[in-house]
Amino acid sequence: MSHSQEIWFKMSRLCRLDVKWTGFDQGNTPLASYEHSNPYYEILMVTEGPIYLQTESEQLELVSGDCFLLTPWERHTAWKLTHEHAGFFWVQFFATPGPSLCRPDELPGMESINWPDRSRQELRTGQDEEVEHLLLPRHFQPVRRYELLNLFEKLHGEMEHPQGYFRYRSSLLLGQILHLIAEDLLNKEQLRTVVPAAFLAYRQLVNLLNESYNRELDRDFFERELNRKYEYLCHIFKKYSGLSIFTYIHQLRIQRAQYLLLNSELEVKQIAESVGFADPYYFSRLFKRFSLCSPTDFRKQNGQFGK
C-alpha cells in the first residue's frame, strides 16, 4: 500500500459551486463492486474506517474522519474488503473555475502575501487584480471532524429530500465544507497570517471615502473621523492603493457622475454639484481626463437621455 502524496489544490474564492449528487456508502457496496469515475470533482469523508480506496495512482487506507478529493474522471474503487460498519459520505460537484493542482513546494509562503497587490480589491473603482484562493488538501484529517460530518449529513439530507431551493442550500453547505477544510489546513500548517495594522487602517479609510466622497473633504475631516494624522493616512493609502487620496475621491465622483448621466435627466451642472464639485467647469475638465470625453458627449454616446 502506498501513502497519499502531499498534494494541495488552489480554488478561487470566486469559484461557482454546484452540487450534482451525494451519497452515503457503508460496508463493501458499491465501492468494491466495480470501478467508478465521473465528470465532476468528488469529495469523500469517512465516518468509520478503514476504507481501502484505490485510485489510478494510489492505494490508500482511509481512517475515520479522513477527507479525500478526487478529480474529474479519476478512476477509483476498493482494493480490499472492509467491515460492514465502515462507511463514508461522498459529494460530486461541479466547480468553475476548477481547483488547480499545486504542491507545497510550488506555493509561496502565506506569510509573504503581498498586501499592496491584494488591497486594490478594496477600491470601489478598481478591478480585482489578484483573487485569493482557498488551499485544499487532497488527503486530510480535519481537526473539526464532527462539525464537518454534520455539514456532510445536512448536505446529503438536502439532496436526498429535495424541496424548494435545495440546490442553492446544497451549494452553500458545500462552500462551508470546503471552507472548514481550508481553515483547518491553515491552522495545521501554521499558515495563518495576521493582517497588518496599517492595512486595517487603510480599509477604514477606503470605507470612509466610499461613504463621504461627495462631501467637502479636508485634512481636519480625515483626522477627526479616523483619529490619525493626515500624513500617515496619505502614506498608507498610497502604499496600498498606488493612488493619492484625492485621485481616488475624483474617481469615485466621476464614477457616480457617469451613472447619473446615463440614468437621470439632471443637467451637467446639477450632477457636478451632487457629486461634490462646486465648479462645473472644473468638473468637466476632470471628467474628460478620466472618461476621455466631456460629460455631454458621454451622455450622447451612451445614455438614453442624450438621444
Side-chain angles (χ1 to χ4, degrees):
M1 182 188 70
S2 67
H3 295 283
S4 179
Q5 294 178 325
E6 190 173 23
I7 298 174
W8 292 354
F9 293 86
K10 292 194 302 182
M11 188 182 77
S12 167
R13 67 171 173 84
L14 301 179
C15 177
R16 181 174 68 86
L17 300 172
D18 185 23
V19 178
K20 296 300 183 181
W21 299 99
T22 67
F24 177 72
D25 290 353
Q26 195 165 25
N28 292 302
T29 305
L31 184 63
S33 303
Y34 54 90
E35 185 178 85
H36 301 258
S37 66
N38 68 81
Y40 310 115
Y41 290 92
E42 184 169 348
I43 186 167
L44 318 176
M45 183 170 188
V46 179
T47 56
E48 185 174 341
I51 297 295
Y52 301 105
L53 180 67
Q54 169 78 58
T55 70
E56 295 182 13
S57 59
E58 300 171 284
Q59 283 186 342
L60 302 161
E61 181 177 329
L62 305 181
V63 300
S64 300
D66 269 2
C67 295
F68 193 83
L69 181 63
L70 294 159
T71 55
W73 293 119
E74 185 172 8
R75 294 174 297 174
H76 56 283
T77 187
W79 61 271
K80 181 180 177 180
L81 296 181
T82 186
H83 62 85
E84 62 179 353
H85 299 296
F88 62 93
F89 284 108
W90 55 266
V91 178
Q92 295 175 9
F93 64 95
F94 177 78
T96 181
S100 58
L101 182 65
C102 60
R103 297 181 186 277
D105 58 358
E106 298 172 334
L107 289 171
M110 292 290 287
E111 68 280 358
S112 64
I113 287 176
N114 190 333
W115 289 103
D117 284 348
R118 292 197 172 187
S119 60
R120 295 182 182 93
Q121 300 174 49
E122 308 293 330
L123 302 181
R124 184 184 290 178
T125 58
Q127 300 292 325
D128 281 357
E129 298 180 12
E130 179 176 334
V131 176
E132 297 93 342
H133 290 82
L134 274 70
L135 299 181
L136 298 172
R138 175 169 168 86
H139 184 190
F140 190 62
Q141 174 71 229
V143 174
R144 293 181 286 175
R145 54 181 287 192
Y146 296 109
E147 184 179 348
L148 193 58
L149 277 170
N150 183 53
L151 290 172
F152 270 95
E153 188 173 6
K154 286 183 177 179
L155 174 53
H156 183 49
E158 288 286 355
M159 296 296 287
E160 281 284 283
H161 307 286
Q163 54 182 313
Y165 300 111
F166 76 98
R167 287 198 175 275
Y168 178 71
R169 292 192 299 273
S170 297
S171 294
L172 293 178
L173 286 167
L174 175 60
Q176 291 180 57
I177 287 170
L178 297 177
H179 175 254
L180 193 152
I181 293 172
E183 284 283 326
D184 263 11
L185 178 64
L186 285 185
N187 292 327
K188 179 184 176 183
E189 300 295 330
Q190 298 182 333
L191 297 175
R192 174 76 62 190
T193 57
V194 177
V195 179
F199 182 74
L200 296 177
Y202 163 75
R203 292 191 78 245
Q204 289 180 316
L205 176 55
V206 172
N207 184 56
L208 179 64
L209 294 174
N210 289 345
E211 298 301 320
S212 309
Y213 65 88
N214 58 345
R215 299 170 57 180
E216 185 175 343
L217 304 176
D218 58 19
R219 177 193 191 99
D220 291 340
F221 171 81
F222 292 116
E223 292 188 346
R224 181 176 65 253
E225 292 295 322
L226 296 175
N227 196 29
R228 290 179 173 86
K229 290 293 185 182
Y230 180 67
E231 289 79 10
Y232 172 73
L233 295 173
C234 289
H235 170 72
I236 62 171
F237 193 84
K238 181 71 173 180
K239 173 183 177 180
Y240 286 114
S241 73
L243 305 171
S244 72
I245 288 177
F246 277 93
T247 295
Y248 183 55
I249 291 171
H250 291 153
Q251 288 181 351
L252 290 171
R253 290 175 173 179
I254 298 305
Q255 182 185 58
R256 174 62 176 169
Q258 289 175 338
Y259 172 81
L260 292 174
L261 286 165
L262 301 183
N263 296 278
S264 79
E265 295 179 311
L266 293 173
E267 296 178 357
V268 171
K269 180 180 179 180
Q270 294 173 302
I271 291 175
E273 292 175 352
S274 73
V275 300
F277 290 103
D279 183 349
Y281 298 103
Y282 179 58
F283 163 71
S284 293
R285 289 199 302 273
L286 274 179
F287 189 96
K288 190 169 185 178
R289 182 192 305 173
F290 285 99
S291 305
L292 304 180
C293 64
S294 69
T296 301
D297 288 341
F298 183 85
R299 173 174 272 172
K300 287 180 179 179
Q301 294 168 13
N302 303 284
Q304 66 184 64
F305 296 107
K307 296 180 180 178

